[in-house]
Amino acid sequence: MVKYVLKRLGYMLLVVLILSFLMYMVYNMIPTDRAAAQARAEIQNNRQANLDYDELYAKYQRQYGTDGNLFIRYLRWMGVYPFSPVNEWDEPELRGLLTGYLGRSYVQNKDVVDVVMPPMGNTVFINIFATIAGLAICIPLGIVCAVKKGSKLDTGVQVFTVIGYSLPVFIIAILFIWIFVSLLGWFPAGGMSSIGKIFDNPVDAFWDKMYHLALPLIVMTFCSLGGLTRYVRASMIEALSLDCIRTARAKGVREKTVIYSHAFRNALIPIVTLVIGWFLSIFSGSIMIENIFGLNGVGRLYIDSLNKSDFEVVLALQMFYVLISLLGNLVTDIIYGLVDPRIRVNA
């Protein structure tokens, strides 16, 4: 097991290096020059100072690390090549991904970590509730539908899940806003807290936040039900048709034991992939939901950063998702070996 994990980590490191190089090159092909824009803005704001454009341009190039060829700039971004000193008395400085420095947001003029962390916290907070609620509904519902295949309950759930699976997210969100906001008036239409309210008690602030997030959570949970319920149902139907299940029933094993101990264990292999993907997705934002409900999440930040050419933030998020995806694949393979002894992960 240890040898397998170390080998996979080595492959992951190679993949990260290749993808980081490709992504950096792609985003640097976009015709934007922050140093030139900053130099022009400073001259525009200080017209009486008679500033030299070339000097300012060179200064901001050194500050942003954009002096030198593209490969040197990539090495600076990774943190293995020093930035040129902005002033003659400064020392060359190593700062990049490998040193824990993710860059500085050009738009917000803050470190990328400070820009990303608040939206990331909101996204994780929202997605944890939606993921737990979705799994708590989908897995038992899929098992019941598989056991009662062909019944009225199974037929009704199948119709319901097909409708939910087929409708676009924005249509469901607008429909739920119409029902729960316009008609019933149960929830606010958007935002993450009451405007103008200051809470002295953290508990009151938490419940106010949950009140505003209730409708987005309901929409996210509803949108996720169709796919996973059908997936669990199909896996369980296949598992219940195995010879070992028929043998267990013939031996007089209790039906609950057959379903939840024998059949569900065999159905876990395809389900595990989807479930782990769900848990990994708590770090990724839902662009549509966050924009419709006005939530300050990662998806909204990602789109805003792309629109404003704030590529330091975009690259940091891209690298984070690359790492999450690679770690997710490794965790999935390890869990395969835990839920099914026939699978070996020590090769």
Side-chain angles (χ1 to χ4, degrees):
M1 174 72 78
V2 175
K3 182 181 177 182
Y4 173 79
V5 172
L6 292 175
K7 186 189 295 185
R8 287 289 300 271
L9 289 175
Y11 292 150
M12 286 166 55
L13 178 61
L14 180 61
V15 171
V16 167
L17 290 174
I18 293 173
L19 289 178
S20 66
F21 180 77
L22 292 176
M23 286 191 298
Y24 188 83
M25 294 301 166
V26 167
Y27 282 112
N28 276 270
M29 290 178 185
I30 300 174
T32 58
D33 194 334
R34 292 184 300 172
Q38 194 72 18
R40 286 194 295 267
E42 185 166 344
I43 290 175
Q44 185 72 19
N45 295 331
N46 300 276
R47 295 180 181 179
Q48 306 300 325
N50 198 19
L51 300 173
D52 184 73
Y53 172 80
D54 292 333
E55 289 183 3
L56 286 175
Y57 180 60
K59 169 191 169 183
Y60 284 114
Q61 274 194 314
R62 293 191 296 271
Q63 179 177 324
Y64 294 131
T66 56
D67 56 319
N69 60 49
L70 198 55
F71 186 69
I72 294 296
R73 288 154 58 184
Y74 167 74
L75 294 179
R76 284 199 186 105
W77 178 66
M78 289 296 294
V80 296
Y81 193 91
F83 279 66
S84 303
V86 177
N87 304 299
E88 59 182 13
W89 56 83
D90 292 334
E91 294 291 333
E93 182 184 4
L94 276 177
R95 60 180 192 269
L97 293 185
L98 298 181
T99 64
Y101 180 73
L102 302 180
R104 191 167 183 83
S105 170
Y106 173 65
V107 174
Q108 302 192 35
N109 196 28
K110 295 192 294 187
D111 286 347
V112 170
V113 174
D114 297 329
V115 173
V116 170
M117 289 310 294
M120 182 68 73
N122 292 331
T123 294
V124 171
F125 181 82
I126 296 167
N127 284 344
I128 281 178
F129 285 98
T131 300
I132 293 175
L135 292 176
I137 296 171
C138 293
I139 292 179
L141 189 60
I143 294 173
V144 170
C145 290
V147 173
K148 298 183 177 181
K149 179 185 175 184
S151 65
K152 291 182 179 179
L153 174 64
D154 179 43
T155 304
V157 170
Q158 291 309 300
V159 172
F160 175 78
T161 54
V162 166
I163 294 173
Y165 189 74
S166 303
L167 286 176
V169 175
F170 68 92
I171 294 293
I172 295 175
I174 294 171
L175 180 63
F176 274 53
I177 289 173
W178 176 66
I179 294 173
F180 292 103
V181 178
S182 298
L183 294 183
L184 301 176
W186 289 358
F187 303 113
M192 298 190 63
S193 61
S194 297
I195 299 175
K197 271 193 175 183
I198 299 176
F199 297 96
D200 298 327
N201 190 342
V203 176
D204 294 337
F206 171 79
W207 286 115
D208 180 72
K209 186 175 184 178
M210 291 302 300
Y211 172 64
H212 282 77
L213 294 180
L215 189 56
L217 287 173
I218 292 172
V219 173
M220 292 174 68
T221 304
F222 182 85
C223 292
S224 64
L225 294 181
L228 186 57
T229 301
R230 296 176 66 83
Y231 208 77
V232 173
R233 176 182 178 274
S235 298
M236 279 296 295
I237 288 175
E238 184 178 355
L240 288 169
S241 65
L242 294 174
D243 293 337
C244 60
I245 303 300
R246 285 195 288 268
T247 303
R249 282 172 169 163
K251 291 169 65 176
V253 179
R254 287 196 320 162
E255 187 66 15
K256 284 188 177 181
T257 304
V258 171
I259 293 171
Y260 295 104
S261 180
H262 299 290
F264 187 60
R265 184 79 180 268
N266 282 282
L268 270 179
I269 294 299
I271 296 173
V272 159
T273 307
L274 204 60
V275 170
I276 292 176
W278 267 35
F279 276 107
L280 293 176
S281 68
I282 66 174
F283 298 100
S284 60
S286 174
I287 297 170
M288 195 67 66
I289 295 293
E290 290 174 5
N291 276 282
I292 290 175
F293 289 99
L295 306 179
N296 180 27
V298 173
R300 193 175 182 183
L301 173 66
Y302 186 79
I303 293 299
D304 289 344
S305 300
L306 279 174
N307 290 332
K308 297 173 182 177
S309 301
D310 198 359
F311 297 129
E312 296 290 342
V313 176
V314 174
L315 281 169
L317 289 173
Q318 290 276 28
M319 289 304 300
F320 177 74
Y321 291 135
V322 166
L323 290 173
I324 288 294
S325 299
L326 293 173
L327 288 173
N329 289 333
L330 176 59
V331 171
T332 301
D333 290 343
I334 293 174
I335 292 180
Y336 279 167
L338 297 177
V339 300
D340 192 341
R342 296 170 296 181
I343 298 176
R344 293 289 177 263
V345 294
N346 57 358

